[in-house]
Amino acid sequence: MAKRKSSFICQSCAAVSTQWAGRCESCGEWNTIVEELTDSGIGAGPKSAKAGAQSAQLVPLSGESEDAQRFQCGIKELDRVTGGGFVKGSAILVGGDPGIGKSTLLLQAAAALANQGKRVIYVSGEEAIAQVRLRAKRLKVEESAVDLAAETNVEIILATLEQAGGADLVIIDSIQTLWTDRVDSAPGTVTQVRTSAQAMTRFAKKTGAAVVLVGHVTKDGQIAGPRVVEHMVDAVLYFEGDASHTFRILRGVKNRYGPTDEIGVFEMTQLGLKEVHHPSALFLDQRDEGAAGSAVFAGMEGTRPLLIEIQALVAPSPLGTPRRAVVGWDSSRLSMVLAVLETRCGIKIGANDIYLNVAGGLKINEPAADLAVAAALISSLTGAPLPPHAVYFGEISLSGGVRPVVHTSIRLRESAKLGFKNANTGQLGKAAKQGGQTINEFTSLEQLAGRIAASKKG
Ligand code: TYD
Ligand code: MG
């Protein structure tokens, strides 16, 4: 008998090594390397390829093409993130922490599509049929014509789908429970997850069904994370949220058929996920208007404006190394803003403990939040509350200058709509001003600091 071949594969980043190690050299994660048999399937090398394979047909780039055919489920926040609906023949990965609401969202989408007369098959590898039915009852969609199957073997799933005569939408919940006979590794390992995902992607391309793969984000590396299949699917959506909040955000991070950076906002309720069409109003809902250290940031998520409260607390520190705690923003970005405040504006802030929080459990990645963060910090340090109807946005440069950012007019329009009459930003030039809105343009952070300090005296 031929010697069985095995490799050591990191379950977090899928790096392959020849021997086991406690720490993956590629991604730095601990305890993620698992031995997998790689006799066949992915990783088996060229000798497993069929001899005498046919050649592919070459065609000119300039040929006829069709637009992607889509179907919308009617849950607008989901349709927005997919770029206008599910694309026929495409594979979509929906990732997220366990318990965040992936199965709930997809069951709601499945029911909505089935109600439109689409053929939807929901394959649950994690929950028994009874559990899925119970959830459907809770969501009040138990009458929908969704077909269920509880199965984890890829070959059986494919045979079932073939027997069913195809489908418009197939949901696989989750990809980590799937296993195929073609590889020997245990379910949940990189090789299994990849080979299974590949089989499902091929099924989508071949039959024109849209396939949704659910993937749990894993922390300890015992099972492969959704990252290892990101490259083979057409779109990747991540479902995020904070366990202590009811908001859930569906974020597109890759989309071959539409925009990325779009978000869909949902609220988890007793009756499942509810769409939030006006997230700004929701995120500002419980704002403490008169408090020092609170600034409203006019942000952008994809094409969509979003007003978000940023809270800062600057407190004298008893420690030699003051504490910095940041929730929802980049901590190195905070260090930069603090350094600019110290050295360019002469504000003594570095020796304090500093806490920064983005309200509502949201995560902000935009540099445009710099100005709002700086305003919240100065306000907390000086004890001067910011004007209640003011928004802030702008990027701060290392020289202490304030730079204008993209999508100014959309940000201004959203602020005006929600009654924020005063906008503070970098120099705009001829940007479209909204009626009745005053705009303070700052060229340097020092000017903004001066204005906040002056409001305290005045
Ligand atoms: P679920 O969709 O099972 O999460 P995932 O598939 O991402 O693991 O959602 C689980 C959580 O959602 C669970 O803690 C209960 C909560 N939930 C509600 O609050 N309301 C509902 O109507 C449903 C169905 C779930
Ligand atoms: Mg689930």
Side-chain angles (χ1 to χ4, degrees), residues 53 60-61 65 96 142 159 182 187 191 232 316 326 368 377 424 440 444:
L61 174 65
S65 72
E142 73 269 32
R182 288 180 47 217
T191 313
M232 56 176 94
V326 188
L377 289 169
N424 299 272
N440 303 321
S444 75

Side-chain angles (χ1 to χ4, degrees), residues 95-128:
D97 289 330
I100 203 77
K102 300 180 293 296
S103 305
T104 307
L105 176 69
L106 292 171
L107 190 58
Q108 284 178 272
L113 280 168
N115 291 346
Q116 293 174 24
K118 294 265 187 278
R119 181 86 198 264
V120 185
I121 300 180
Y122 188 109
V123 182
S124 174
E126 285 182 354
E127 293 163 311

Side-chain angles (χ1 to χ4, degrees), residues 8 128 144 179 206 216 280 294-295 323 326 362 369 422 437:
F8 294 85
S144 308
W179 61 281
K206 205 174 80 192
H216 292 294
S280 294
S294 154
R323 201 169 287 162
V326 188
L362 221 68
N422 174 277
Q437 211 171 20

Side-chain angles (χ1 to χ4, degrees), residues 214-237:
V214 175
H216 292 294
V217 171
T218 54
K219 298 248 152 57
D220 57 3
Q222 287 308 300
I223 51 171
R227 297 223 87 116
V228 301
V229 298
E230 273 184 1
H231 64 284
M232 56 176 94
V233 294
D234 299 302
V236 178
L237 317 179

